[in-house]
Structures are given as C-alpha cells and as structure tokens.
C-alpha cells in the first residue's frame, strides 16, 4: 500500500462544476503540499498545509490531521484548470528538512 | 526574481554513459531538492541539499549523486545509465527546506537509449 493515496485517479468535469480531489496518507506528517502540473512538465506549488484550511482564489485546501486526510476543492472549474494535481507529504521528522512522498496524481480534465 | 532554471532541458544518452544535470535556484534560496518523475513510479524524491550539505536522500542506488556549490547551484550526476533512468528530472528550491514552499524548475527530460 502506498503511503499517499489520491482519489480519483481521473476526473472529468464540465466548466463551472465544483471539483474535489482527495488525498489520504498513512504516516504522521508535519506538512502536506498540493501541486499542479500542466502538460509539458512544469509544477506549481498550490498550497502547503499543516492544519485547517487555506483558500486562494477558486482553490480551497483542507486537512484533517487526525483522520490523515486532505482535500483540494476547485469552485467554478474552468478548462484552464485541466492539469494533474499531486498531493505530497513530509513525514513528521521534527526538522525543517526532509523528503517528500508523493501521491500518484489526479488527472483533471475540464470541458467547456 | 528569476525562477528556478535547469539545464539542459532535453538530453539523449546511451546506456552505460554518465550524465550531469544542473539546477540554479531562485536567488537567496539555499535548499535545492531533486526529484525523478516517470510514468510508472510518479514523482520520487532523490535528495536535498542545503548550504552545500546533503540533508536527506531517497531510496535510489549510489549511481545517483549530487552536490551543491557555494552559490547554491546544484548538480546531479547519474553514472552507468540504464534504460530505466529515462525520466523527467525536476529540481525545486526553497529558502529554508523541503518542507516549506518549493519552487520547481521546468525539468530536464532524459532519454536513455
């Protein structure tokens, strides 16, 4: 079993729909990242969470440390949101450094 | 500020050769992390350097090595290339460490034939 599991693996939506991508992990963590990767490879960091909820524009990320679960929500989805969304966790090593473990990614396609 | 740059962007090598990839972090960032991305394994952590010291490493064979220079630029080297080393190699920089927000470079696409 992978340490980081994302669901769904593939997601297709119509423009304007509300989208949720889930991430579950099995280890104690000190931080969780949500990343976005467009075709061609470039990766952008969307959020870094250690507790609670963060919002940036139409994107919302939440984390429940006790349940070892995080969600990424996209409100009013748009075709430009089409990308791969990747969840990554850093284990609770107690330091500011450490390796990230990645989920397998969720491929999101938003149709006009 | 300029973003993270990686050179070269594309590279084709033959099995058994070695390769060196370069990463220049955002000015002022002292942490550089390297990742390998393949269709089968996804993104995997290779190693992190901070102030010229390797602080953490992933589960890769010793053929994969790296270093960081005093100006924070980093290189990674893969010796005795295998077909399975074909991948997108990404580096990311952070002002503090890998657990903080990371800024990714565009990657180097390595093909081993």
């Amino acid at each position: 079993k992978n340490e980081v599991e994302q669901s769904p693996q593939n997601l297709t939506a119509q423009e304007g729909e509300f989208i949720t991508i889930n991430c579950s992990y099995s280890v104690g963590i000190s931080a969780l990242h949500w990343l976005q990767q467009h075709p061609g490879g470039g990766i952008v960091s969307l959020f870094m969470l250690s507790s609670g909820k963060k919002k940036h524009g139409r994107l919302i990320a939440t984390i429940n440390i006790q349940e070892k679960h995080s969600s990424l929500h996209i409100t009013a989805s748009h075709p430009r949101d089409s990308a791969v969304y990747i969840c990554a966790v850093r284990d609770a090593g107690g330091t500011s450094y450490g390796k990230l473990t990645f989920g397998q990614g969720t491929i999101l396609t938003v149709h006009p | 500020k300029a973003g993270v740059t990686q050179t070269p962007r594309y590279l084709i090598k033959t099995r058994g050769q070695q390769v060196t990839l370069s990463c220049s972090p955002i000015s002022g960032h002292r942490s550089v992390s390297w990742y390998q991305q393949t269709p089968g394994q996804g993104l995997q952590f290779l190693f992190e350097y901070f102030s010229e010291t390797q602080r953490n490493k992933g589960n890769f064979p010793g053929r994969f090595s790296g270093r960081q220079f005093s100006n924070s630029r980093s290189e990674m080297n893969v010796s005795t290339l295998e077909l399975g080393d074909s991948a997108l190699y990404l580096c990311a920089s952070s002002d503090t460490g890998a657990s903080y927000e990371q800024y990714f470079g565009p990657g180097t696409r390595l093909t081993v034939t």
Side-chain angles (χ1 to χ4, degrees), chain A residues 60-80:
Chain A
I60 303 166
T62 63
I63 188 168
N64 185 318
I65 296 292
Q66 287 72 34
E67 295 187 3
K68 294 186 167 62
H69 181 268
S70 176
S71 293
L72 176 68
H73 306 286
I74 304 176
T75 62
S77 60
H78 190 276
R80 65 175 175 266

Side-chain angles (χ1 to χ4, degrees), chain B residues 5-41:
Chain B
T5 58
Q6 291 187 245
T7 57
R9 293 292 311 277
Y10 302 91
L11 202 50
I12 299 175
K13 290 285 189 178
T14 304
R15 264 185 306 176
Q17 289 185 315
Q18 76 164 20
V19 67
T20 298
L21 311 181
S22 180
C23 172
S24 292
I26 289 173
S27 177
H29 284 190
R30 293 186 293 166
S31 167
V32 174
S33 299
W34 287 91
Y35 303 94
Q36 181 197 64
Q37 187 176 35
T38 60
Q41 299 295 320

Side-chain angles (χ1 to χ4, degrees), chain A residues 5-112:
Chain A
E5 294 277 355
Q6 285 185 238
S7 64
Q9 288 191 317
N10 287 280
L11 183 55
T12 300
Q14 289 297 126
E15 184 173 355
E17 287 185 357
F18 181 87
I19 287 162
T20 296
I21 300 171
N22 296 298
C23 176
S24 296
Y25 51 92
S26 57
V27 297
I29 71 167
S30 60
L32 181 144
H33 299 250
W34 281 102
L35 310 172
Q36 180 192 56
Q37 185 172 31
H38 281 285
I43 292 180
V44 174
S45 176
L46 298 174
F47 295 103
M48 188 190 71
L49 295 161
S50 55
S51 65
K53 175 180 175 178
K54 287 190 176 181
K55 184 176 189 293
H56 185 257
R58 296 180 294 106
L59 301 177
I60 303 166
T62 63
I63 188 168
N64 185 318
I65 296 292
Q66 287 72 34
E67 295 187 3
K68 294 186 167 62
H69 181 268
S70 176
S71 293
L72 176 68
H73 306 286
I74 304 176
T75 62
S77 60
H78 190 276
R80 65 175 175 266
D81 297 326
S82 298
V84 178
Y85 292 84
I86 303 167
C87 167
V89 302
R90 185 180 81 79
D91 60 23
T95 60
S96 66
Y97 58 89
K99 70 173 187 177
L100 292 180
T101 302
F102 297 86
Q104 75 275 33
T106 295
I107 302 171
L108 170 65
T109 304
V110 182
H111 294 294

Side-chain angles (χ1 to χ4, degrees), chain B residues 65-77:
Chain B
S65 63
R67 60 178 177 169
Q68 187 179 33
F69 302 95
S70 58
N71 62 358
S72 294
R73 188 178 69 87
S74 178
E75 290 181 345
M76 68 162 282
N77 184 277

